[in-house]
Structure formats: structure tokens, C-alpha cells
Amino acid sequence: MTDTEVQVGDLVEPRPEEALETEQRVDRVTVIRPSPRRPHLDVPELWHYRELLGRFVWRDIKVRYKQTFLGVAWALLVPIFSAVVYVVVFGKFANFPAGNVPYAELVLSGLLVMQYFTSSLTGSGVSLVTNMALVTKVYFPRALLPLASAIVPAVDFALGLCVLLPLMAYYGSWPDGPEVILAPLFLGLAFVTALGAGFLLSAVNVRYRDVPHMLPAFLPILPLLSGVPYAVQEIPEKWQWILAFNPMTAVISGWRWAVLGAGAPDWGQVAVGVAVAIALFVGGLAVFRSSEPRFADTI
Amino acid sequence: MPVAIEAQGLSKSYRIGELQAGYGTVRESLVHATRRLLGREHRHHHEEIWALKDVSFEVEKGEVLGVIGRNGAGKSTLLKLLTRITTPTEGRAEIRGRVGSLLEVGTGFHPELTGRENAYLNGSILGMKRREITRKLPDIIEFAGIETFMDTPVKRYSSGMHVRLAFSVAAHLEPEILLVDEVLAVGDAEFQKRCLGRMEDLGESGRTVLFVSHNMQAISQLCDRAILLDHGHVVREGSSGEVVAQYLQTVGGTGSSRTWTDLASAPGDDLVRLRSVRVVDDNGALIDAADVRQPLGIEVAFAVLRDGDPVLPKIKVYDSRGEVAFNAMDTSSRWDRPSAPGDYTATAWIPGNLLNEGLASVDVGVCSLGAPKLRPHAGCNDAVSFHVQDPGEGDSARGLFTGQWKGVVRPLLEWTTEERESLTSGPPRRQRV
């Protein structure tokens, strides 16, 4: 095995040119102290680790469809298949109200956002346990893991748009006007909601492995509670206000309004959804940050 | 000299309940919470233990500091604190310079990704920037010696290739401060050896190293200074030679000799009582530590108080992990008949090249034979302990190898080798070209 023989001395010879590399060579002082009582999100630190965040996202995207036969086509097939089922079951048989938008378009637009949300939530909810080997062996801000898991499904979402756009062309329904620029904001609301819940669940999952069992029980009914197979504006107002406490209701109706030119959502209801999403994010983050110091001990 | 690592009063407590049940289900917690509310269960299972208590030390730039101590003394906890995997309960530490650690070799490798992709992933996890990895990649590949497999998924690698790539990435981190845990630096013997070699070179090239190890030889060889941890406290700090010597003396809690001056309170019954137990070399001199190659004796002195059943001495030797290495008793015919009242000194001779390195502890007893068990008359568990050491001169079972050498025993075997001409190499006596 002489070809693989290595000289230990090779790697430790100090190389003068590297001593000049200021980026790493400045005296970096690491202070180790008890975790602060009041948890907060250390944004400068997250910024410092941005490259690792990118690396985690890249890793998960890379391995997402490895060793699959259809590969990335799944990102298109899953929403198409689900949309067909929804159209047949809820559109044809149950006659759910669609408002002023073709039913297939209504369902597909809702499903894409919903699938982004469920993937983000599931991924970030189990992210710490999935990456247990990292959590117990090396330091980095733990928030990177749920954060990366909430970003990765955006790729599937973007691919899913490749199904939605031809459908919009087919029905000739284009965004009505300038409100289309608000579309990213509604997607951002889905991201914030998923991440907030993801922070909470991933921290809980470190101690109690109930999360992966709980999610499949809860997630299948979520589309029905978020207006995926119907237009929220078309149902009795009392129910609209109850559904408003689910931020995904605001996300889906707002997204349809911005992109498909569907009826505008009730802004009061949207405000409720946003408030719930922010509360979820702040609460989830607080739980995450306060249990973060013990992750490696309890996981 | 500027200080590279400065720790002040570092402490870490765990709740015992947490250690025993790392995680449970929500239901279990609810059950416990309900019981507490009803007053049926006290909070005693939340008792705290200090894995590390008030640990302070300084490591100067360019110094190699050894950390030694028994299992559970807090060494691993200290490393976990310094690498920020977990946070201290009290105290603080400052580390000045870029930190790398060899306790995380290969952490974060993803089996589906190729060697090249994993080099980037692992490098980022260890704290390298992308540009830096790109620049060092040719070196990393060359060092690992797996050029042709860099675009193969790591799941198809042999474990040796896996370790080589992982080590190569970690080796190119070029930290100013290196934290090494020998126990966690898993890998084959070759890899262990490379770790030790690298440590030595790092120390010589002026890097700061903190080295946690059970290998006393490596500590005294590589480290300038050492600290001895016991039950989470620093009990000794000084030159590595001194600290290692103290560790070897105190570890195990028992020394290499024990004497009971008062016969009435010595272990035993109305037939036999122990007088003393000593670990001796072949000249009969008391020793703490034995050369692995030399025989040593366990000398058991006891008094027979009256006429009675025939008795015989026995010993039971444990290795440092508490495994029984062997049992032995004197089966000679002199113990077949009842022994006359009086003092006896029996010595069991343990041959050289039998026990492995480390701390051995000994139970002694004087028993009578009875079915189905031996009937003890006098006995003392953990009576004495002694250290088995290998000076590393190359004539023991480990030869010149310096890495971890597993096993309860370490016999120096006789090897025979037969060499046959290969069938494909043609008629005998002809040289292959």
C-alpha cells in the first residue's frame, strides 16, 4: 500500500503564504460561557455561518432525488397526481366552491404552496435528530438545520411552477395587475410559519421522538383547513374567521389573489394569519434557543 | 508567552435523570409530572451531578497540554465544552485562535455524495471557507491517496478510504489550536498512529494542542504539561512526567500493598484471617507498576487460627475496564490437608507478557473447596492494584507499534511461517521476471 502511504509531516509544515491569509489568521477569540438566560437569535453569528447554511441546503438538494429512477420528475408528478385526485374528488363529486377561478387552477396553486409548507415543516421538525451525528460532534448554530430544511423544498416549489404556468396559459388567466409583486410576500409568510413551527418541533423532537409520528396524523387534514380544495371567500363568514387563525389560509388565498387574479382575501383575516405566524415564529424560536444548549446532552 | 486557552472555573452539571433516560415519550413525562403534582413522587431523580467542577487552567501558545484521568473524570466533558458542543453551567473560557478538533473526523459525511462533494461538505462543517477548500483540494486528494475515487459516492468506499479522506480533510484545516480525544479518534491502528505522529509534529511546529488520552506513554512523550482530572476537579497540574506518575499511583484508589495490623478486625472468619497483600517483583520487592515483559507476584499473607477444613489461597485479576482477566488458585497438594494453625505467605506468580497495559486490580481470598461453589473464609475485593506498562522497546507483543492495543491479555505468541512457491510462478527455483 505504498501508493497510499502518507507523510504526516506534510500537512503541518507551516506555509508562509498562508500566514498572510488574513481572513482566518486574525486572532479569533472564542468565548465559552453559560448560555444566556434570555434567548435571542444571534443574527451576526448566523451571517458568519452563511456558507455552511448554503452547504446544508446544497447537500439536501443534491441527495433529494439520488438513486431514484424518475429523479427530479417527482417534483412535477406529485403535484399533478394530487391535483387530479383533488379535482375528481372535491371538484367533480363534492362540488366544492371555486370562486372566479377554474377549479384545476385553484387546486394546483393551493397544492404547490401546501406541499412546500408540509415538506418544510416535516424536514425542519426532524432536522436536529436527522443530523444527530453533527449536533453531538461539532459546533455551529443549531438554527441552521431547521433553516436549511425550510429552504430546500423551495426547489420543488419552483419546479412545480412549471406545471402551474402552462395551466394558467391554458385558461388564459394571468395576474390582474401589480398585486403579483406581493406573491413572494405570501410565500414568505408560508416560510415564516413553517420555520416557526419547525423550530418548535425540532426542539421538542430532541427530547420526545413523538414528532415524526404526530405529523402524519395532522398534515393530511391541513389542506382542508387551509382552503386548498375550495375558495375561502365562498364559505360562510363565521368559518372564514375560524380558518383565519391558520396562517396557511392567508397564504393560499393571498397567493391565489396575487397570481391567479382570484378574489381578494379579507385583509382582516390576513392580518390574523400574519399575527399567528409571527407569534408562532417568536414562540418557536424562543423554545428552540432556550433548549439549544442542552441539545447535545439530551438528543 | 501569550495564552491560547484560558479556562476559569468551568463547571458542567447534568441532571441524573437526564443521563439515565436520554429521552422519553411525552407520555412518560406526563406520568411523572402528574405523580409529582399528586405528591407521589419526589424530585429526587432530578438530582444534579457535576461532571466538571471549577476547572481552571491556561495553555500557552505553542504548548502541548495533556489531560488525563479515569473514565468519568470529566475529560470528554471538558473537550465538549471547549469545542462548544455543549455549554458550561458555570465559569468561562477563552480560546484565542482557530480551533480544530480531531474528535469529529468524518462527521457529516453523506453516503450518497461523492468524495469531492463530501470534502467540501466536511470542510465547511469544520469551518473552512469554500475558496480555501478549493485551493487545498489537490493536497487533500493527494494526501488521502484516493484520486480515482473522488467522484464515487462515499457509500461505495471501503472503511479505510473513508477514514483517509476524512482525516485528510481534517488535517488540512490547519488550526492554530488542536483539540484531540484519543478515545473518540476512532479508526484503524494505522490511523491511530498517524494521529499520534501528527500531534507530535504539531507540537513541534508551534501549534497549541490539548490532548486527552489514556495512553500514559503518549502523554509523557508528547506533552510538556498535563493536568489530572478526578471527579470533575483538577487534582494535579504540572510537568507531564509528574502528573502521569501521580495518576499511576492514585488511580484505582488502592495501592499495590495492603496490610491489616489488627488480626481481630482483618477480613476473615474464625478459621482464617488476612494479614497483608502485596504486589511484588521477582526479587520480592514491592512495586506499583510492572513492566509488561516481567513476571510479578501477588503475595497473600494470612493466618490460620485453628484446625479445620483444608483451605487454599486464590486471586482474581481484573483489567482496567473491570473485566475479569482470570481466576487462579493454588492447586498444589500442600493445601489438600487442613493447614496447621500459623502464618502463611503464598505468592501467585503472573508471568510476563500476559496482562495487557493498564491498571489491573486484584481480589484475594482464602477458601475451602466445596460444591458447587468455593466457600470463602477470608477475602478482600479490590485488595491491591498495579499498573502494567510497556516501555515500548519493541520486544513486547506490540513491537514498535504505539497505538491502541486491545484485549484483556497480551501474550507474546510464537509465530511460525511457512513460505511456499506460488503455483502460478512456474517451476521451483525459477525467478519471476
Side-chain angles (χ1 to χ4, degrees), chain B residues 186-427:
Chain B
V186 288
D188 53 11
E190 172 67 28
F191 173 68
Q192 297 267 352
K193 194 167 149 191
R194 240 191 273 175
C195 280
L196 286 177
R198 183 183 153 134
M199 297 254 329
E200 204 159 10
D201 294 340
L202 275 181
E204 279 161 16
S205 71
R207 309 280 169 92
T208 311
V209 182
L210 192 124
F211 182 37
V212 172
S213 182
H214 283 292
N215 185 338
M216 291 305 130
Q217 209 186 322
I219 292 271
S220 15
Q221 198 182 327
L222 300 175
C223 302
D224 317 314
R225 273 192 324 128
I227 58 175
L228 172 59
L229 287 180
D230 189 31
H231 292 101
H233 297 268
V234 178
V235 292
R236 181 76 188 259
E237 185 177 351
S239 78
S240 55
E242 284 168 34
V243 178
V244 166
Q246 171 164 358
Y247 173 76
L248 293 181
Q249 271 173 25
T250 60
V251 80
T254 55
S256 64
S257 85
R258 187 178 285 206
T259 309
W260 293 272
T261 43
D262 178 19
L263 201 61
S265 63
D269 57 11
D270 60 337
L271 181 63
V272 182
R273 285 195 191 268
L274 292 179
R275 281 200 182 278
S276 70
V277 184
R278 301 197 311 148
V279 182
V280 295
D281 66 8
D282 47 6
N283 296 321
L286 184 70
I287 49 170
D288 293 327
D291 187 318
V292 70
R293 301 164 298 182
Q294 300 298 323
L296 65 102
I298 307 295
E299 182 196 276
V300 185
F302 58 95
V304 175
L305 304 175
R306 61 170 172 82
D307 292 311
D309 292 337
V311 293
L312 54 84
K314 75 174 285 283
I315 61 170
K316 188 174 187 178
V317 177
Y318 299 84
D319 73 359
S320 52
R321 288 166 308 167
E323 302 275 352
V324 178
F326 61 83
N327 272 294
M329 59 184 184
D330 188 355
T331 51
S332 70
S333 59
R334 84 174 314 289
W335 305 105
D336 289 351
R337 290 162 287 110
S339 307
D343 284 338
Y344 295 82
T345 301
T347 305
W349 291 102
I350 300 174
N353 288 309
L354 174 69
L355 292 171
N356 205 343
E357 276 164 282
L359 181 82
S361 55
V362 187
D363 294 355
V364 300
V366 181
C367 320
S368 54
L369 286 171
K373 290 178 76 175
L374 290 172
R375 196 147 48 85
H377 289 283
C380 180
N381 290 342
D382 215 0
V384 287
S385 62
F386 59 93
H387 231 86
V388 181
Q389 284 174 299
D390 192 332
E393 286 164 12
D395 54 352
S396 69
R398 66 155 66 230
L400 287 170
F401 174 72
T402 53
Q404 202 184 354
W405 196 265
K406 288 186 180 168
V408 177
V409 294
R410 203 169 85 187
L412 187 61
L413 301 180
E414 188 176 317
W415 289 71
T416 59
T417 307
E418 226 174 286
E419 191 181 351
R420 268 194 215 125
E421 291 284 338
S422 158
L423 290 174
T424 55
S425 66

Side-chain angles (χ1 to χ4, degrees), chain A residues 6 8 11 18 21 23-24 28 30 32 34 51 55 62 67 137 139 207-208 293-294 297-298, chain B residues 12 18 23-24 29 84-86 91-93 95 97-98 104 117 130-131 135 143 155 171 174 198:
Chain A
V6 279
V8 175
L11 63 135
E18 267 157 24
E21 203 174 308
E23 198 173 38
Q24 293 98 30
R28 195 151 81 195
T30 313
I32 291 157
E51 210 171 275
R55 194 55 74 183
K62 271 254 169 190
Q67 213 169 358
K137 294 258 169 59
Y139 175 80
R207 183 141 180 79
Y208 302 109
R294 290 183 111 69
D297 303 332
T298 35
Chain B
K12 172 79 181 174
E18 243 170 18
Y23 54 89
S29 270
R84 295 205 290 163
I85 291 165
T86 182
R92 63 180 271 138
I95 302 183
R98 177 164 158 157
E104 62 213 26
E117 289 166 342
R130 198 185 59 225
R131 266 187 312 123
R135 186 166 46 75
F143 185 92
K155 63 179 174 182
E174 297 180 356
R198 183 183 153 134

